[in-house]
Amino acid sequence: MDIKDTLEKKLKNFTSAPFLFIGSGLSRRYIGLEDWKGLLQKFCSDNGLNFDYYYSTSNSNLPKTAKLLAKDFSEIWWKNDKFLDSRNEYKAYGIMEHESSPLKYEICKYLKTKSIIDDQELKNEVEELKKANIDGIITTNWDNFIEGLFQDYDVYFSQDDLINSIVQEIGEIYKIHGSVDDFNTLILTDEDYDSFTKKNAYLAAKLLSIFIEHPIFFLGYSISDSNIQEILKSIATCISHEGLKKLENSIFLVEPIFDGSSDIIEKSYINIDGSNLPITHIYVKDYSIIYKTLQLYKRKLSVKHLKQIKTQLYEIVKNNDPHDRVALIDIEKNDDIVDVDFVIGVGMKSLHEKGMVGLNRDDIIEDIIFNTGGYDPNDLLTYAFPQILKYQRRTPLYKYLKLGNKLSDIQNNKLDWRIKKYYKLIDEDINNPNVTVRSMLIKNEPISYSYNISDANYLKAAIRKNGKSSIDNEKLLSLLKEKFSNYKEEVSKANPPIFCSHYRTTVRIYDWLEYSD
């Protein structure tokens, strides 16, 4: 049976592009990440703790095992010099909200070190996955592998983030179990799962239309996986039995073959509260077969532009004020309209506003370094930064506040609340008392404008000790220009190295030095 042909025929019945539902199996496949049990075992063995004790005490319940481990790990983390650097740096990423926060923080640090396995066949699969034409991704994974592949997609970092947001269901990644970018969002312990389960109905309501309107490909799960079971049960409570039947042709579960068996595509069933939900079950050795099929869906516009259009349509409907935003065309007087393949008339009065909505942090970084964007600072503050700061709070913006004459009285200007809240994060980072003043600075040795992995903290320490005037802005800018191509290359990887974080921080420091009052 030709799996690609069979899949292609099934997908022709849908007008919408697929959604991917991605589990831990994909991270194990491509970045060599341990499964959940293996991850807990690693943190026990690395810190002299007995995993078997926690596992047996919790009756083999992994969330309870994680809670027991987190309690003892917290004692070690706060007292042992092994974690001194972590204790100095964690405040840049969040606060220790719970007893489990130190363990979550260290898990996130570890996950950020993972990169794609050095296996050419797997790398080829990843390249095919990057080309897939999909509307979005739902994942229970914490790592950044998948958003590294789909960098134009907006990321929702937790279940709460998703529930409290207006989603467009296109060009989005929903990390419902949390993300390494906010360690406190990780769903790890039994208490985390209890809180998550209480909100499942709200999450299911958010995801319902996705499941009804899109084919859903489960990747990195087994048919018995509790995550699949719980999500489908929650969705089943939101719709009728007839509505549930409509899902039977929408769900595709992909599992790997590790022996010499042939690829298989067949009908299977998932039990949902006593009812058997038919699904399409696919077993393959080479996932490229699946990914190439997902490339067959053709778009007339890119995901990025479709999302911009959908966002603007939503704003028009929500505000009920299309004044100066909708242009009316007399179709009867337009003889060429019959030949037009795709017509849209949203926000076209001011094309630059539409473009502003699609900017991201890297666009801002490039403009600060090279001054090539040609952006109007007030347009950026009005249209771009409210979107960017939703997901990337540490984005430099002093340049635009200064050039837009907003900096001297920022709190009284009509600016988005995120700008008013986050613009001084760099001040807080630099003046964080945990920033170490290095021995070379204590000796008053001159600053070297080289670039290595620690220079961002080096600059913070230099400014704390010797003030802003001790930094040569021109030399710092020259360094950023010199290393920009390296940054662009590294940040495009599935798991960018820590160099990228330090580079972004250095840009923020330069922006602060050059443009703040």
Side-chain angles (χ1 to χ4, degrees):
M1 181 182 295
D2 190 308
I3 288 181
K4 189 170 182 292
D5 288 345
T6 305
L7 264 182
E8 186 176 349
K9 290 176 183 177
K10 287 178 175 290
L11 292 178
K12 283 182 177 177
N13 295 321
F14 295 90
T15 57
S16 300
F19 252 77
L20 306 185
F21 206 127
I22 292 178
S24 61
L26 223 65
S27 293
R28 292 200 298 274
R29 184 180 185 90
Y30 295 127
I31 64 174
L33 190 62
E34 298 87 350
D35 62 13
W36 190 13
K37 184 177 180 181
L39 191 64
L40 297 180
Q41 287 174 322
K42 170 183 169 55
F43 275 86
C44 283
S45 62
D46 287 354
N47 295 283
L49 299 171
N50 191 331
F51 174 82
D52 292 336
Y53 165 73
Y54 300 127
Y55 193 57
S56 61
T57 303
S58 62
N59 295 317
S60 304
N61 181 299
L62 284 174
K64 290 181 179 179
T65 301
K67 181 182 178 182
L68 294 173
L69 165 59
K71 184 178 189 303
D72 289 347
F73 183 85
S74 179
E75 288 286 322
I76 296 172
W77 191 87
W78 283 109
K79 297 176 181 178
N80 196 312
D81 285 347
K82 174 182 177 180
F83 297 105
L84 178 61
D85 287 344
S86 290
R87 294 198 297 271
N88 286 336
E89 68 192 15
Y90 78 89
K91 291 181 181 178
Y93 304 96
I95 61 173
M96 293 294 161
E97 294 180 350
H98 309 289
E99 190 174 55
S100 59
S101 292
L103 178 57
K104 292 178 181 179
Y105 181 72
E106 294 301 326
I107 287 175
C108 289
K109 285 186 67 174
Y110 170 66
L111 294 183
K112 289 178 180 179
T113 68
K114 306 297 284 185
S115 57
I116 297 173
I117 292 172
D118 189 15
D119 180 293
Q120 194 55 51
E121 289 185 2
L122 292 178
K123 287 181 177 179
N124 291 341
E125 287 186 10
V126 170
E127 288 303 309
E128 297 298 340
L129 175 57
K130 288 170 67 174
K131 301 174 190 173
N133 287 319
I134 56 175
D135 274 353
I137 297 164
I138 308 162
T139 181
T140 51
N141 294 350
W142 303 324
D143 58 80
N144 281 339
F145 166 69
I146 202 66
E147 53 260 54
L149 304 185
F150 297 91
Q151 295 188 23
D152 285 339
Y153 286 41
D154 290 335
V155 182
Y156 294 83
F157 293 113
S158 66
Q159 181 195 42
D160 286 342
D161 193 16
L162 178 58
I163 289 173
N164 295 320
S165 300
I166 304 298
V167 298
Q168 301 298 333
E169 297 180 15
I170 187 167
E172 295 174 332
I173 299 172
Y174 310 140
K175 304 189 76 170
I176 59 176
H177 277 190
S179 170
V180 294
D181 291 313
D182 184 348
F183 61 92
N184 281 309
T185 63
L186 267 56
I187 304 299
L188 176 68
T189 68
D190 58 341
E191 293 172 340
D192 297 328
Y193 272 89
D194 288 344
S195 176
F196 180 87
T197 301
K198 288 176 183 177
K199 301 172 185 176
N200 252 1
Y202 299 101
L203 177 63
K206 282 279 189 181
L207 301 180
L208 182 58
S209 64
I210 293 173
F211 274 76
I212 291 176
E213 297 173 7
H214 300 263
I216 310 293
F217 280 77
F218 285 90
L219 300 162
Y221 296 103
S222 71
I223 196 168
S224 60
D225 194 285
S226 60
N227 288 303
I228 295 180
Q229 298 280 342
E230 289 302 318
I231 288 293
L232 291 178
K233 284 180 182 178
S234 298
I235 288 176
T237 63
C238 299
I239 58 177
S240 64
H241 179 71
E242 290 301 314
L244 191 61
K245 285 189 66 176
K246 292 180 181 179
L247 297 180
E248 66 182 44
N249 296 315
S250 303
I251 297 177
F252 299 82
L253 178 61
V254 181
E255 293 196 62
I257 294 174
F258 296 108
D259 56 25
S261 303
S262 300
D263 293 348
I264 301 171
I265 182 168
E266 62 184 9
K267 195 173 191 178
S268 187
Y269 298 89
I270 295 179
N271 187 276
I272 306 297
D273 286 338
S275 298
N276 287 324
L277 174 66
I279 65 167
T280 300
H281 207 153
I282 306 168
Y283 298 90
V284 288
K285 180 179 180 181
D286 183 358
Y287 275 36
S288 296
I289 297 172
I290 307 299
Y291 304 150
K292 287 178 179 177
T293 306
L294 295 176
Q295 295 168 19
L296 296 176
Y297 182 84
K298 302 300 181 185
R299 300 184 187 277
K300 299 190 184 298
L301 291 174
S302 68
V303 166
K304 183 177 181 179
H305 289 124
L306 284 171
K307 186 169 179 62
Q308 290 171 357
I309 291 166
K310 196 167 184 180
T311 299
Q312 291 181 12
L313 281 170
Y314 171 79
E315 289 297 325
I316 290 172
V317 174
K318 183 183 75 170
N319 295 328
N320 195 30
D321 181 17
H323 180 65
D324 287 338
R325 299 181 70 184
V326 177
L328 299 180
I329 300 173
D330 191 342
I331 295 177
E332 292 183 357
K333 295 181 180 179
N334 192 326
D335 296 332
D336 297 326
I337 196 71
V338 69
D339 298 321
V340 177
D341 188 48
F342 190 82
V343 179
I344 187 159
V346 178
M348 300 306 290
K349 177 177 178 290
S350 182
L351 287 172
H352 73 281
E353 293 176 12
K354 181 172 78 73
M356 289 289 171
V357 176
L359 294 176
N360 58 37
R361 178 173 57 190
D362 283 342
D363 296 319
I364 300 301
I365 285 174
E366 185 168 0
D367 181 59
I368 286 174
I369 297 171
F370 296 102
N371 200 31
T372 53
Y375 308 124
D376 182 295
N378 289 308
D379 283 344
L380 276 179
L381 294 169
T382 301
Y383 302 108
F385 278 109
Q387 297 299 318
I388 296 172
L389 294 174
K390 282 183 181 179
Y391 314 107
Q392 297 166 329
R393 291 177 295 175
R394 286 176 163 79
T395 298
L397 43 64
Y398 272 97
K399 172 181 177 178
Y400 311 104
L401 290 169
K402 181 78 170 181
L403 298 181
N405 297 315
K406 299 290 193 299
L407 193 55
S408 60
D409 193 21
I410 185 172
Q411 296 301 330
N412 290 324
N413 279 294
K414 292 182 179 179
L415 294 170
D416 186 86
W417 65 269
R418 297 173 186 85
I419 295 174
K420 297 179 180 182
K421 181 176 180 180
Y422 299 143
Y423 86 104
K424 293 193 73 173
L425 280 178
I426 187 63
D427 301 60
E428 296 171 10
D429 291 349
I430 289 171
N431 292 297
N432 186 333
N434 291 318
V435 173
T436 303
V437 178
R438 299 166 181 245
S439 59
M440 65 184 71
L441 295 176
I442 293 174
K443 297 175 184 176
N444 291 318
E445 293 184 6
I447 293 173
S448 172
Y449 291 89
S450 62
Y451 208 98
N452 57 50
I453 204 167
S454 59
D455 271 351
N457 287 333
Y458 179 96
L459 285 168
K460 291 179 187 178
I463 293 167
R464 276 181 56 79
K465 180 172 175 60
N466 299 320
K468 294 172 69 172
S469 60
S470 65
I471 308 299
D472 187 321
N473 289 4
E474 290 187 7
K475 288 183 178 180
L476 190 59
L477 180 60
S478 295
L479 168 67
L480 291 169
K481 289 180 177 179
E482 176 188 344
K483 299 296 181 182
F484 181 74
S485 59
N486 300 82
Y487 169 74
K488 291 291 284 184
E489 180 181 352
E490 295 294 328
V491 81
S492 65
K493 294 180 178 178
N495 283 276
I498 197 169
F499 159 80
C500 295
S501 175
H502 280 274
Y503 185 89
R504 287 191 293 260
T505 301
T506 305
V507 175
R508 293 170 58 227
I509 292 172
Y510 169 77
D511 174 63
W512 177 80
L513 291 169
E514 183 70 17
Y515 297 104
S516 67
D517 290 337

